[in-house]
Amino acid sequence: MTLADYHRLLPLQYGKMPLFVKAGARGYPDPRYELLARALEPFGERVVDLNPGVGLASAGLLEHSRVDLLETSRACLRCLERSFAHHPGARVRRGLPWEAEAEAYDQAVLVLPAERGSRYVELALWGAAHSLRPGGRLWIAGDTKRGFETYFKQAKQRLGYGLIRHRQGSLRVAVLEKENPTPPVGAPWESFAAEIWGHPLRFRHLPGVFSAGHLDPASQLLLHTLHEDGRAGDVKGCTVLDLGGGYAGLSLPFAAAGASVSVAEDDWGSVLSAQASFRANGLEGRVFHSDVEEALPAADRFDIIISNPPFHLGGEVILDVAQAFVQAARSRLRSGGRFYLVANSFLKYEPLLEAAFGNLSTLRREGYKVLRSEA
Ligand code: SAH
């Protein structure tokens, strides 16, 4: 798969409307979304979908209602914008699931974002309750193997009456009615401190981001390796790009060491977190809400590219995204530049790096491996 293939939006004939999907975009194929699409019933004028992915669950409601789609992933937003650009009833917005308008909707739709952890789901459920008018309905879909029962109970405590509408294997769809008012929720921001390369740093993040509350051990190994190899001192004045930058766990030390840092990140909550991390340390960093490299200025090239690439997407291992990361690194390095990648030892990145760069060094192998290629 080439980078151009990765970025292509593909039409999927789903119901009456073509929906666009792409590699790396959540929500298709995904049986939770399909079950929810079959279960949803029209009710009232206004619907909000708080975890639409590519839009498969709530698209069918557009025949009867106006639907606002609130999404965090840049890859998904690209699909949604293409699918619904000409639909007068659909409004696609970038935002977190707890940022919908208050008491504005007759129905809220939420595939439980269980892979993001319980605090994020809790906030999403709060957001759903908050967005509904009294008497409004919340539809949730989830998996009993991923906490559905607990989240359903939480949702009932918050809203009021609820019942299970569909069962398929371990998947469930439930509908609830808002009987209770929604009290305000505490501020979602979290932070922690760590000393890296001799710099005391503070990391700030929203719930649900990668490696919340502590630096990921693989990212730590990459930072440690560069330090031991005497490379950390060389980064001053360099341009550095972190592909899949999260809350800037990997890139903040580079900024502290005097590099000019850019971050590309698909998840809006992570983008806000990276911006907050740079600010909290009085450091500069350019943060792009980007599906791999697509939102970077076309001419931008870098001296160093670093990445701890994602390999989970809704629980699936997806090498497509990793491959796109490697190819993007190749195309965005200036000649003589270096690409550092850290990954779980069992992931087969070596052939991808070999194919893209024609050279490869394994710098460390300690549960994780640190790989380097040169442009
Ligand atoms: N560099 C950070 C985060 C690494 S995890 C750290 O070391 O702490 C990988 C990151 O890639 C996640 O934040 C995830 O949201 C992001 N990601 C996943 N798919 C992406 C895509 N298509 N484009 C850009 N970033 C993506």
Side-chain angles (χ1 to χ4, degrees), residues 204-368:
R204 296 200 71 215
H205 64 77
L206 289 164
V209 300
F210 171 80
S211 199
H214 64 281
L215 276 188
D216 174 63
S219 298
Q220 285 189 44
L221 181 66
L222 174 48
L223 291 166
H224 189 67
T225 303
L226 290 175
H227 194 62
E228 283 197 335
D229 295 356
R231 291 287 194 168
D234 298 349
V235 306
K236 195 172 173 109
C238 287
T239 51
V240 175
L241 170 67
D242 185 358
L243 282 173
Y247 53 75
L250 201 49
S251 55
L252 200 59
F254 284 79
S260 158
V261 169
S262 301
V263 165
E265 169 58 52
D266 179 67
D267 172 50
W268 180 237
S270 302
V271 166
L272 295 173
S273 302
Q275 288 169 342
S277 291
F278 285 113
R279 253 195 327 267
N281 296 276
L283 294 167
E284 298 274 328
R286 295 193 306 166
V287 185
F288 296 92
H289 192 209
S290 182
D291 179 7
V292 194
E293 88 308 348
E294 53 83 33
L296 297 179
D300 280 18
R301 295 292 178 277
F302 301 88
D303 300 317
I304 299 173
I305 298 183
I306 49 179
S307 191
N308 179 357
F311 61 95
H312 285 294
L313 195 82
E316 304 280 303
V317 174
I318 38 149
L319 268 173
D320 280 356
V321 177
Q323 191 170 4
F325 270 50
V326 172
Q327 290 175 357
R330 180 67 193 89
S331 73
R332 293 299 183 137
L333 270 183
R334 68 157 179 75
S335 131
R338 304 188 299 275
F339 177 45
Y340 295 96
L341 180 147
V342 65
N344 260 302
S345 281
F346 63 85
L347 294 168
K348 303 221 177 322
Y349 284 102
E350 287 84 348
L352 299 180
L353 288 166
E354 283 280 10
F357 290 86
N359 67 79
L360 171 69
S361 317
T362 303
L363 304 181
R364 285 289 184 291
R365 195 179 268 282
E366 291 175 25
Y368 306 98

Side-chain angles (χ1 to χ4, degrees), residues 102-114:
E103 302 218 345
Y105 297 96
D106 303 296
Q107 299 214 82
V109 176
L110 179 68
V111 171
L112 296 169

Side-chain angles (χ1 to χ4, degrees), residues 1-9 293 327:
M1 180 184 257
T2 66
L3 202 48
D5 292 334
Y6 171 82
H7 284 305
R8 195 156 295 137
L9 305 185
E293 88 308 348
Q327 290 175 357

Side-chain angles (χ1 to χ4, degrees), residues 16-17 58-65 67 87:
K16 293 187 185 145
M17 193 177 312
S58 56
L61 287 178
L62 275 166
E63 271 185 58
H64 315 273
S65 315
V67 180
H87 201 297

